[in-house]
Amino acid sequence: MQLIMPVLLVVIFILAAAVTVTKKLLPAVIIFMFYGLVMSAIWLLLESPDLAITEASVGAGISSILFFVTLRRLKEIDPEKNDGQDVPGGSGGASGKGGDSA
Amino acid sequence: MEQKNHENKERTVSGYIIYRLACIVFVALFVSVMLFMVSGLPEFASQQGPVSSEVSYKYLKDTVTDTGAVNAVAGMILDYRAFDTLGETCVLYAALICVLLLLGHTRLKYSKAAAGYMPGRIDLSRESNPLKDDDILKVSMRVLFPVIVLYGICVVMNGHISPGGGFSGGAVLSGAFILYANAYGEEAAEKIIGRKLYTALTAGAIGCYCLIKSAAFFMGANGIEDPFPKGIPGTLISGGVIPLLNICIGIVVACTVYGIFLLFMKGGFRE
Amino acid sequence: MTYFFDLFRTNLPEASAVILFGMGLGNLILARNLIKKIIGLNIMDSSVYLFLAAKGYIAGRHAPIVDPGTVDPSLYIDPVPTGLVLTGIVVSVSVTAFLLALTVRLYERFGTIDIDRIMIDLRAIEKEEDE
């Protein structure tokens, strides 16, 4: 059972790096939703079922709903500027993720 | 004006790379210092860590006799440390009020203040987008809505005998209402929860929490016998006031999240 | 180098939480898009909760749902960090909601969510007001 924990932690690192590198906003929010789900599984492995159910419903559910509603709201105000594309004005990601020393 | 913008951009570009390199160096230094401190911690999952102290020992030993709840975490956050839960509910309230202040203006149909900021970009004649109903969602909501509400109520009510509690149950309930508002449109959703009922629920639930817990403190401090029975531990009617507090917190969380969602979508309730 | 790998062997979740914190912090400082900054802040929050929950875990014991017959505290993990993290998760979602509302207002005001463009426009407006 303890072999699953390093695998899940590696998946979490890959997801956090993927959020940094992604240029568009909608895939970044979907990856963040999946990050919340894997974090909920890690908490189940650490024997805290209260945290797992709360993170699954609040983190992967409500927080992601708020992000999606914000993205919809950002596109609504200027409908003639972006026709089906992503939000204007800088969708560039960060240029470094830092922290991966050594 | 063009020249000034170009100059500004040039000035930011030249200092830009140094700024970003300095940030990366700072983050790397910070993480290495923290990793050095992690190496001084006791080993993960060891039995002699400092967390295995007297506080957790007392909570685990006395939860069933003091509170009647079988879930030690629920007994802790709703009986021993009920003030922390009250403060956390107040943080939810503060978030709702701040979002209301920031986004409540769109009820005024893209008000003239916003049009003054961005001249020519906001069309004052355009109606703010109401929530319309959706046919595919309607068909699936006929089956899903009672199931989700039942699951939310089950998670809230069983907070003291199984994992769950007020926060996760409230989140599930709010998800049910959000789906309902998206499936049937805003008029049908307002027939279920309108502005008056929403205000009464949100303000009343936190008031009930304060009253019930203050009564429990008062009775405990003066030695009066507790009218709420502790019951047989492990059944539904047990745990004293903890199921009532769970219901109050579930209502508060559900209403807060539903209100924040409506504020983002269309600026609040119809009026 | 072996010191580093030794750290991962003895304290795996805590070290991973620290590295995740660094990734979230880099995202928060270096990203140009406001939504990416908010995602970075959420990643930082999650990593702190992982650290706290990992400090409460003791090997070979169960979740803290007490058996009402026999009361033996050495069969369960520590319930105190779980209570702290429950409060933290709710505070994290409240802060996220507030920051997203601020982002929507900034977009209505400036027309962009790129933080560098917003600062350039702001400085230009302040210079115009000074003159």
Side-chain angles (χ1 to χ4, degrees), chain A residues 19-94:
Chain A
V19 163
T20 312
V21 167
T22 313
K23 293 246 181 325
K24 293 194 176 224
L25 283 182
L26 188 61
V29 173
I30 294 178
I31 293 175
F32 172 68
M33 199 173 192
F34 191 47
Y35 171 90
L37 195 61
V38 177
M39 193 59 100
S40 167
I42 286 183
W43 278 334
L44 210 52
L45 281 180
L46 287 178
E47 303 278 350
S48 324
D50 279 307
L51 293 182
I53 195 172
T54 305
E55 166 77 17
S57 60
V58 165
I62 290 179
S63 201
S64 302
I65 286 180
L66 288 179
F67 272 110
F68 284 133
V69 166
T70 303
L71 285 183
R72 178 186 188 269
R73 180 76 183 245
L74 291 177
K75 285 184 199 173
E76 182 184 73
I77 296 179
D78 259 347
E80 67 271 5
K81 220 173 167 189
N82 26 330
D83 38 356
Q85 288 173 2
D86 220 318
V87 183
S91 312

Side-chain angles (χ1 to χ4, degrees), chain B residues 116-158:
Chain B
Y117 289 145
M118 294 166 65
R121 270 191 194 173
I122 290 188
D123 192 2
L124 270 183
S125 61
R126 228 181 97 224
E127 182 76 34
S128 75
N129 213 1
L131 269 180
K132 296 197 204 52
D133 51 351
D134 194 69
D135 285 329
I136 298 181
L137 276 180
K138 259 196 238 189
V139 171
S140 49
M141 280 309 284
R142 273 187 217 139
V143 178
L144 277 179
F145 183 71
V147 174
I148 298 179
V149 170
L150 198 61
Y151 179 60
I153 294 179
C154 168
V155 169
V156 167
M157 290 297 298
N158 282 329

Side-chain angles (χ1 to χ4, degrees), chain B residues 16 39 51 56 70 72 102 118, chain C residues 3 64 66 78 90 105 108 116:
Chain B
Y16 205 55
S39 69
V51 291
S56 61
V70 174
L102 285 171
M118 294 166 65
Chain C
Y3 173 78
V66 176
D78 199 359
V90 172
R105 282 305 295 255
E108 281 181 12
D116 294 328

Side-chain angles (χ1 to χ4, degrees), chain A residues 22 25 47 74 77 89-90, chain C residues 33 36 77 86 107-108 112 114:
Chain A
T22 313
L25 283 182
E47 303 278 350
L74 291 177
I77 296 179
Chain C
N33 204 345
K36 286 263 181 71
I77 67 164
L86 264 180
Y107 184 73
E108 281 181 12
T112 175
D114 185 355

Side-chain angles (χ1 to χ4, degrees), chain B residues 1 16 20 23 30-31 35 38-39 42 44-45 47 51 56 61 70-72 88 92 98 102 105 118 121, chain C residues 3 7 10-11 21-22 29-30 32 55 57 59 61 64-66 71 78 87 90 94 105 108 111 116 128:
Chain B
M1 191 59 182
Y16 205 55
R20 285 172 99 88
C23 286
F30 186 74
V31 170
L35 278 178
V38 165
S39 69
F44 169 63
Q47 315 242 347
V51 291
S56 61
K61 198 157 58 84
V70 174
N71 189 359
E88 170 187 359
L92 273 175
C98 291
L102 285 171
H105 72 101
M118 294 166 65
R121 270 191 194 173
Chain C
Y3 173 78
L7 184 68
T10 57
N11 274 321
F21 188 85
I29 299 181
L30 293 172
R32 294 182 64 182
K55 287 313 289 174
Y57 177 69
R61 301 188 182 185
I65 315 282
V66 176
V71 182
D78 199 359
T87 307
V90 172
S94 302
R105 282 305 295 255
E108 281 181 12
D116 294 328
E128 276 179 14

